[in-house]
Amino acid sequence: MCTPLCCLSQLACCCGSAACSCCCSCCPKIKQSTTTRIMYAFYFLLVTIVCCIMMSPKVGDALAEAIPFYSQMCETINAGEKCKTLVGYSAVYKVCFGMACFFLLFSLFTIRIRNSTDCRAAVHNGFWLLKFILLVGCCAGGFFLPEEKTFLQVWLYIGAAGGFCFLLIQLRLLVEFAHRWNTNWTSGVKYNKFWYAALAFVTLMLFSIAVGAVVFMAMYYTHPEACFDNKLFLGINTSLCLVITLLAISPWIQKLQPQSGLLQPGVISVYVMYLTFSAFSSKPKETVEVDGVNQTVCVFPFNSGTESDKQIVTGLGTTLLFACILYSCLTSTTRRSSAALRVYRNCEPETERARCCFCCGDDSVSEDGDDDQRSGGQNVVYDEKEGTIYGYAYFHFVFFLGSLYVMMTVTNWFHYADHEIEKMLEGSPSVFWIKMASCWVCLFLYMWTLIVPMIFPERFEA
């Protein structure tokens, strides 16, 4: 039950600079820097869910009834029967435009904030109701932009560039996640053999998924007389995954990085196979003549006429995006763990406590009562009195790029092709190359983390 004191605290959180907390005193302490990032992540995920809903045909029907001059717009762009889909895509573009403006505004507003005593830091850490109203206003304002066709064209290229930049950050997070996972679980092997069994089981599952993905794509996304590039790139990516696996367990790497093992290349291989599948599904369809009949080849084998592969790609991409954001927000707020999207980069601690939920930091919070917000509910530790734990401006800028990545992912990197709506679900060579390049960047980043101690040994000496 919410006590009067707790209710006043929540009111101060919504309309003042106080940190948010739960109205339950039995909840564990939470740091102000953590609750702030969780709140921004909640706003981000809320808008993302709205974007996913807007892609629903039923919502498209509702938008068609609400948008004025709907029929005239369809006639102007020759959309025909697929105009409902365009309404869904354009709505996502406009909502994400508002969310991107919101985070970009805060990124500029929070530049060079050093500690929480700055008045701008109070705005960053509080006033959540007012910021929610501002976010809703920004998203709604996107529907009143003039020159809709011009806006969609320009915002497409901005979204593609920003989405690719966020993808690079996501790849960096993935590599760091793989290393941290292996380091954490390996640290428990000398105390409990259970961790060795868990490590072996997860590693086996990851490589089984990766091999299964290779077999699946070789069977259904290649053809003896077509799809030469699919066969070429599937072979290249599979070979590179094998190379990083052998490199990770080679004696030269093991000597410099004893914690290097098979878990990291397993994680990377699964992600690379997902990106490869995503790239193949984004290609324009190919046809080959079989017994005098043109046959579409190298497509998703199940319900291929309903764009099932694109639905799977969109769902997996959105899920990975959620995981990336939540991982960044739920890790510990110390500089060592660099919770805020790896703003700080420091060495791993000498002692690591193995735990299943290693993403959530286990750093102890201060027991000093003066640092706690005691309001009849959850206690909040104000951990930024001496200085900020993470870069506020960089944090918001990453969410700005994430907004663009959401827009491109939810719409499956939708693009205009000579303004012909019939081509919008046929794939794009540019999208194919973006995703294929992401595979190679991910592999390069992981390979670099393995060989960099050999190139700069003085930087990794104890």
Side-chain angles (χ1 to χ4, degrees):
M1 183 178 230
C2 185
T3 64
L5 188 59
C6 183
C7 291
L8 291 176
S9 174
Q10 298 308 308
L11 182 62
C13 158
C14 293
C15 303
S17 58
C20 288
S21 62
C22 298
C23 288
C24 181
S25 58
C26 63
C27 292
K29 293 181 180 180
I30 189 171
K31 298 178 181 180
Q32 181 190 30
S33 57
T34 301
T35 186
T36 296
R37 289 198 299 275
I38 289 176
M39 286 299 295
Y40 281 114
F42 173 73
Y43 284 178
F44 183 88
L45 297 181
L46 183 63
V47 177
T48 302
I49 292 173
V50 171
C51 291
C52 295
I53 293 175
M54 283 185 168
M55 294 300 296
S56 169
K58 295 182 179 179
V59 176
D61 294 336
L63 289 175
E65 296 177 0
I67 295 177
F69 309 110
Y70 174 77
S71 301
Q72 292 84 339
M73 181 183 70
C74 293
E75 294 177 0
T76 301
I77 61 177
N78 297 321
E81 296 180 355
K82 295 185 179 181
C83 191
K84 296 179 182 179
T85 307
L86 180 62
V87 171
Y89 281 111
S90 63
V92 170
Y93 271 48
K94 294 170 185 176
V95 170
C96 288
F97 171 79
M99 180 168 62
C101 289
F102 173 83
F103 283 113
L104 182 61
L105 174 65
F106 272 90
S107 179
L108 298 174
F109 179 73
T110 55
I111 290 177
R112 299 183 68 83
I113 292 181
R114 302 303 182 190
N115 55 68
S116 60
T117 60
D118 193 307
C119 61
R120 294 177 297 157
V123 176
H124 167 80
N125 292 314
F127 300 95
W128 294 106
L129 177 60
L130 301 180
K131 286 188 287 192
F132 179 76
I133 295 174
L134 176 62
L135 176 62
V136 173
C138 289
C139 294
F143 289 90
F144 297 95
L145 292 172
E147 301 292 337
E148 180 181 14
K149 291 193 294 184
T150 303
F151 162 75
L152 293 177
Q153 293 174 11
V154 174
W155 192 238
L156 161 70
Y157 294 108
I158 296 176
F164 185 72
C165 291
F166 182 82
L167 190 58
L168 297 180
I169 295 175
Q170 182 173 296
L171 296 178
R172 180 186 173 189
L173 274 173
L174 178 72
V175 173
E176 185 272 339
F177 168 80
H179 280 298
R180 187 176 180 189
W181 187 359
N182 186 78
T183 300
N184 185 270
W185 282 23
T186 303
S187 66
V189 170
K190 55 185 177 182
Y191 302 110
N192 191 337
K193 296 302 180 182
F194 162 79
W195 293 109
Y196 183 83
L199 197 64
F201 175 76
V202 171
T203 302
L204 179 62
M205 290 299 298
L206 289 172
F207 278 105
S208 298
I209 294 173
V211 172
V214 172
V215 173
F216 174 81
M217 287 184 284
M219 291 178 59
Y220 297 109
Y221 280 89
T222 62
H223 191 274
E225 300 179 7
C227 306
F228 172 78
D229 47 357
N230 284 14
K231 292 179 280 190
L232 175 64
F233 292 127
L234 181 60
I236 291 175
N237 290 352
T238 303
S239 301
L240 289 175
C241 289
L242 179 61
V243 169
I244 63 171
T245 301
L246 297 176
L247 186 63
I249 59 176
S250 64
W252 307 281
I253 300 300
Q254 289 287 316
K255 182 179 179 181
L256 295 173
Q257 300 186 60
Q259 299 297 330
S260 178
L262 291 174
L263 179 64
Q264 298 102 312
V267 173
I268 301 301
S269 297
V270 169
Y271 189 71
V272 167
M273 288 302 109
Y274 156 72
L275 285 178
T276 305
F277 168 71
S278 177
F280 289 169
S281 66
S282 301
K283 285 183 55 183
K285 296 178 180 178
E286 295 187 34
T287 58
V288 63
E289 186 174 337
V290 179
D291 297 330
V293 179
N294 288 333
Q295 180 179 347
T296 302
V297 295
C298 303
V299 294
F300 195 68
F302 309 109
N303 298 324
S304 57
T306 60
E307 304 292 341
S308 297
D309 54 344
K310 291 180 173 56
Q311 295 174 14
I312 292 176
V313 167
T314 300
L316 286 176
T318 305
T319 302
L320 287 172
L321 174 66
F322 286 177
C324 178
I325 295 299
L326 292 178
Y327 170 68
S328 305
C329 293
L330 295 180
T331 48
S332 123
T333 59
T334 62
R335 296 176 186 268
R336 172 184 65 82
S337 298
S338 55
L341 293 172
R342 303 300 293 176
V343 176
Y344 297 99
R345 181 187 177 97
N346 285 319
C347 297
E348 290 290 336
E350 294 182 0
T351 59
E352 182 85 5
R353 185 174 68 86
R355 56 196 187 278
C356 292
C357 191
F358 67 94
C359 294
C360 302
D362 63 342
D363 302 292
S364 60
V365 291
S366 172
E367 297 296 335
D368 185 2
D370 295 336
D371 291 338
D372 296 346
Q373 170 195 346
R374 300 188 180 277
S375 56
Q378 183 182 28
N379 293 329
V380 176
V381 178
Y382 288 87
D383 58 332
E384 296 187 305
K385 290 184 177 181
E386 301 298 328
T388 57
I389 300 297
Y390 59 98
Y392 291 174
Y394 177 73
F395 175 80
H396 287 293
F397 184 73
V398 170
F399 270 75
F400 162 72
L401 296 179
S403 303
L404 302 179
Y405 181 72
V406 163
M407 180 181 74
M408 305 307 293
T409 301
V410 172
T411 59
N412 195 26
W413 296 80
F414 168 71
H415 71 102
Y416 291 95
D418 301 325
H419 306 286
E420 295 180 11
I421 196 66
E422 290 80 11
K423 296 183 179 181
M424 80 172 174
L425 292 177
E426 294 180 3
S428 164
S430 60
V431 174
F432 169 80
W433 284 109
I434 286 176
K435 295 181 179 180
M436 194 57 64
S438 300
C439 295
W440 301 330
V441 171
C442 183
L443 291 164
F444 171 78
L445 286 175
Y446 175 65
M447 192 178 299
W448 175 252
T449 63
L450 294 178
I451 65 176
V452 68
M454 302 174 61
I455 300 176
F456 305 105
E458 67 281 357
R459 297 186 181 182
F460 293 86
E461 292 178 356

